[in-house]
Amino acid sequence: MLQATRITLGLLAHRIGQLSEQIRDVDARLARLVDCHAPQLLEVVGIGPDTAVALLITVGGNPERLDNEASFAALCGVSPVERSLRYAAREVFHLVKQQQPGPRS
């Protein structure tokens, strides 16, 4: 039993080494691709190769759809809620609250 555990752990350690090497290889390839296609992204503080690749994948072949900060926020799903929608939500909340029965005595 102990021998089987040692063999299994050795195989797992070897596989972890292989996967780590593959990860380093893919990271290097992605960094070269970003440096080739959009090196200006890597000049921004806080954006590394992983984030730059994610941005490039998201934008795809249609960069003109990100013409301002608002369109970027919408793409990320962090657009602020319009004021009229906030008021509508508040009114619905108050209507629902008014329709709830009060405490029973």
Side-chain angles (χ1 to χ4, degrees):
M1 181 72 158
L2 187 58
Q3 183 67 20
T5 304
R6 286 185 181 152
I7 291 172
T8 303
L9 287 175
L11 291 171
L12 286 173
H14 181 68
R15 184 65 181 139
I16 289 171
Q18 289 176 329
L19 291 172
S20 296
E21 180 61 34
Q22 287 178 339
I23 289 169
R24 283 190 294 274
D25 181 48
V26 169
D27 283 345
R29 288 181 185 191
L30 290 176
R32 284 193 304 271
L33 283 170
V34 171
D35 194 40
C36 178
H37 294 285
Q40 67 278 15
L41 286 177
L42 297 175
E43 296 170 5
V44 178
V45 174
I47 295 184
D50 292 341
T51 305
V53 167
L55 284 169
L56 290 172
I57 289 170
T58 302
V59 172
N62 194 6
E64 51 278 347
R65 70 181 179 173
L66 292 179
D67 56 352
N68 56 38
E69 288 101 359
S71 60
F72 180 70
L75 182 65
C76 295
V78 294
S79 296
V81 177
E82 289 185 31
R83 186 177 185 136
S84 61
L85 292 177
R86 275 189 276 164
Y87 285 123
R90 187 181 308 151
E91 289 174 15
V92 169
F93 173 75
H94 288 297
L95 286 173
V96 169
K97 193 172 180 180
Q98 289 172 0
Q99 292 176 357
Q100 292 177 349
R104 296 181 188 195
S105 40

